[in-house]
Amino acid sequence: MVNTGAASDRLRALGLDLPDIRSNPYYVHHRTVGSNIYISGQLPYKDGELLGQGTVGREVGLETAREFARHAALNCLAAAVQAVGDLDRVRIVQMLVFVASTPDFGEQSNVANAASELLIEVLGENGRHARTAIGVAGLPLNSPVEIQMVCTAL
């Protein structure tokens, strides 16, 4: 898959590459309906390894959770590029950020901001999106963060 254009250049300027996301026998990472791309929930994997486990506000600090959110968003971008073939063809419509956090944490939006910042840094206006950030009791594999997206192909 070749990524050309301004968005890929901005991604490289940040020192980042789109990761390879492994297939799963139980679900697909994306489903395209018309020009809409529905991205399955992505965890903060890097090089095939989950970056951390635990609850934000207890075992996981705010800055670490923000970094996990950036990696989960990067995995979402990789799934979107699998669907359309080029990063410059991706516009983020909506992002849903789940944060496994203590009941008194209250900084879910701050965690989500890190993912939003990454999307805008890479995609510019095409990275701006509607968003929801919610705290949950737990996530798959005891991950602190999971991100789901809806994108559109340009």
Side-chain angles (χ1 to χ4, degrees):
M1 183 177 340
V2 175
N3 298 320
T4 60
S8 293
D9 293 341
R10 287 190 293 268
L11 186 69
R12 278 191 294 279
L14 292 169
L16 300 171
D17 291 308
L18 289 179
D20 291 325
I21 52 176
R22 296 180 180 160
S23 63
N24 188 296
Y26 304 107
Y27 64 89
V28 294
H29 288 288
H30 57 83
R31 174 73 67 205
T32 302
V33 178
S35 64
N36 293 324
I37 310 155
Y38 298 88
I39 308 295
S40 295
Q42 299 292 317
L43 301 179
Y45 278 102
K46 183 177 182 182
D47 300 326
E49 299 288 325
L50 188 62
L51 291 176
Q53 294 180 309
T55 303
V56 182
R58 191 177 312 134
E59 300 90 2
V60 178
L62 175 61
E63 288 309 313
T64 301
R66 287 175 50 85
E67 188 61 29
F68 292 164
R70 287 176 62 88
H71 281 283
L74 197 59
N75 290 330
C76 287
L77 284 178
V81 169
Q82 277 186 354
V84 300
D86 190 313
L87 196 53
D88 287 314
R89 294 194 57 222
V90 175
R91 175 181 290 153
I92 311 303
V93 175
Q94 183 179 35
M95 180 170 67
L96 179 56
V97 180
F98 300 94
V99 182
S101 52
T102 59
D104 63 341
F105 178 65
E107 294 282 333
Q108 290 84 3
S109 290
N110 198 342
V111 173
N113 285 347
S116 294
E117 290 162 4
L118 175 71
L119 296 173
I120 294 166
E121 285 177 295
V122 173
L123 300 175
E125 268 311 298
N126 288 334
R128 292 175 95 46
H129 51 273
R131 186 185 86 189
T132 302
I134 59 173
V136 297
L139 290 168
L141 305 176
N142 198 26
S143 175
V145 178
E146 182 173 9
I147 296 180
Q148 175 187 331
M149 284 186 190
V150 177
C151 308
T152 191
L154 300 174

